[in-house]
Amino acid sequence: MTLYGLGVTVGAGIYVLAGATAAEAGAHAPISFIVAAIVVAFTALSYAELCIRYPVSGGEAAYVEAGFSRAWLTTGVGLSVALSGIVSAAAVSLGAAAYLGQFVALPQSVLVTFIVAAMGLIAFWGISQSVTTAAVITVIEILGLVFVIGWGMLLTDKQGVEFGEIFSPTSIEPWLGIGSASVLAFFAFVGFEDIANVAEEVKEPRQTMPRAILLTLVIATGLYLATMVTVLMAVPISRLSESSAPLMLVFESSDDRYEIAFGALAVVATVNGVLIQIIMASRIVYGLADRSFLPEIFARVSAKTRTPSIATFCVVFLILFLGQALPIAALAERTSQIVLFVFIAVNLSLLRIKRQPVARNYGFSVPKVVPLVGVATSVGMLVISIV
């Protein structure tokens, strides 16, 4: 589950949006990742408790149902989660196509279609096969980031900023860019909450889920900071901010073999984010239909693969449509806003659930201040994203 969470978090984030965050925050882009991590941390703790209380598919919808008992709100939150996965997958498919385009001279629309269709077939194949594939690819994409960090640090001709400039904004103006970039950086952390949506298919969820959520957040934050610092020191910000395949720039002055090797790793890493979001979104749609919040047809499960076939097909179709219709930055920002709305609803649900009589000891519980701060930080980030 940690590999699953890292697969969608890391693949959907740093490989795709390193340049976009640098365009907003300049040399101080790593600080935006720290801000985003703080916002995510409180909600991650809320998810950790809710996961062991309600280990079911369609996690967020189940949490809101338990907290508010309002069918319209449950359905709205569930569909919002599915939509966030769909929009996120569309954004990542564009990043994957940009990396793949370094090797294959085909139009972006063709590459996006190929990537999404291939990942959709794997998701339809079966949950065991899908998660195993995602886990293997996750190891590859983490090795890719380690490769970037190691190579960038060893470069003798660094063309970026000095290390001292990165963490020392000297006026209020840089903080405006950091605030704006933190919304994009927040997108890079979208993924840990996906773990909640496969809880029904996990062994011993009450032990596994909280650990996986927190490990995903800690490891992803460390990787993001190390990678962003390395790239900013190695590559001029002007070039980094314009690139749709930003991490490739670290290898431009190297032997072609290393650039090709990393490009291949980047393609694998980014398509992984598409696969995991398809799995997540289809399980949300299935979970809502299984609880009669959506038409029964979406709860149909293939007799052969035991996967939600109709839900998976619809999710893949919507990803293809959005991937052709909107640019990557817009997709990432919309994803962040949808997820922040869901985070607010989930934290409020936990506050209401904690007011109910405790029927049993679930083994993990956070104080009420955690979801309260989770609401406040998510609202603050949502306001920044809109303004």
Side-chain angles (χ1 to χ4, degrees):
M1 281 294 95
T2 302
L3 289 172
Y4 175 83
L6 284 171
V8 66
T9 305
V10 174
I14 201 74
Y15 277 87
V16 174
L17 291 175
T21 54
E24 295 286 346
H28 310 300
I31 299 177
S32 67
F33 283 89
I34 296 174
V35 173
I38 292 170
V39 172
V40 169
F42 291 97
T43 300
L45 289 168
S46 294
Y47 268 88
E49 177 171 343
L50 288 164
C51 272
I52 61 175
R53 283 177 176 263
Y54 310 101
V56 295
S57 294
E60 289 92 340
Y63 310 154
V64 172
E65 183 182 10
F68 290 93
S69 300
R70 295 288 187 273
W72 64 270
L73 185 57
T74 300
T75 305
V77 168
L79 290 176
S80 295
V81 175
L83 182 61
S84 72
I86 290 167
V87 179
S88 173
V92 179
S93 70
L94 292 174
Y99 280 109
L100 186 57
Q102 308 288 324
F103 307 101
V104 183
L106 288 173
Q108 183 185 63
S109 60
V110 174
L111 295 175
V112 168
T113 300
F114 169 75
I115 289 165
V116 176
M119 294 305 102
L121 286 173
I122 294 174
F124 179 75
W125 185 18
I127 186 65
S128 177
Q129 294 88 343
S130 300
V131 175
T132 300
T133 300
V136 171
I137 295 175
T138 298
V139 173
I140 294 172
E141 68 189 8
I142 291 174
L143 290 175
L145 291 184
V146 173
F147 190 18
V148 170
I149 295 165
W151 189 269
M153 288 299 182
L154 292 174
L155 282 176
T156 54
D157 183 25
K158 293 183 174 65
Q159 300 178 23
V161 301
E162 297 292 330
F163 180 82
E165 296 178 53
I166 294 174
F167 295 103
S168 56
T170 55
S171 65
I172 190 65
E173 186 176 351
W175 283 102
L176 299 176
I178 291 168
S180 178
S182 66
V183 178
L184 290 173
F186 177 85
F187 173 82
F189 287 96
V190 171
F192 81 86
E193 76 283 359
D194 287 1
I195 298 173
N197 296 307
V198 292
E200 271 187 30
E201 298 162 282
V202 175
K203 295 178 181 179
E204 300 183 13
R206 290 190 171 91
Q207 294 181 28
T208 302
M209 305 300 277
R211 297 174 186 174
I213 287 173
L214 297 177
L215 276 172
T216 294
L217 180 58
V218 170
I219 296 171
T221 302
L223 284 170
Y224 287 165
L225 289 177
T227 303
M228 281 304 302
V229 168
T230 300
V231 174
L232 283 167
M233 292 176 65
V235 180
I237 292 177
S238 59
R239 296 204 56 219
L240 184 64
S241 61
E242 296 174 355
S243 177
S244 56
L247 301 191
M248 286 281 285
L249 298 177
V250 175
F251 299 93
E252 276 193 331
S253 61
S254 68
D255 188 295
D256 287 347
R257 292 174 299 173
Y258 296 108
E259 188 174 3
I260 291 170
F262 176 75
L265 285 174
V267 171
V268 173
T270 47
V271 298
N272 195 35
V274 179
L275 171 60
I276 293 179
Q277 292 290 22
I278 291 173
I279 297 171
M280 182 278 289
S282 62
R283 266 55 180 184
I284 284 285
V285 173
Y286 161 80
L288 288 170
D290 192 48
R291 295 197 239 320
S292 301
F293 291 108
L294 287 177
E296 184 182 352
I297 188 173
F298 293 109
R300 290 183 183 176
V301 174
S302 168
K304 186 174 182 180
T305 65
R306 306 306 303 163
T307 55
S309 52
I310 303 297
T312 300
F313 173 81
C314 292
V315 165
V316 169
F317 175 80
L318 288 171
I319 292 169
L320 281 171
F321 172 76
L322 291 173
Q324 309 289 358
L326 294 173
I328 189 169
L331 288 167
E333 190 171 354
R334 296 294 87 75
T335 302
S336 296
Q337 291 169 345
I338 296 167
V339 173
L340 284 165
F341 161 72
V342 172
F343 282 3
I344 293 167
V346 167
N347 280 299
L348 288 174
S349 297
L350 181 56
L351 284 170
R352 288 178 64 90
I353 289 168
K354 282 182 169 294
R355 293 169 56 188
Q356 302 169 4
V358 179
R360 57 177 293 184
N361 180 10
Y362 290 97
F364 183 88
S365 180
V366 297
K368 290 181 180 179
V369 69
V370 169
L372 192 61
V373 176
V375 171
T377 52
S378 297
V379 168
M381 182 76 77
L382 184 59
V383 170
I384 290 173
S385 73
I386 294 172
V387 173

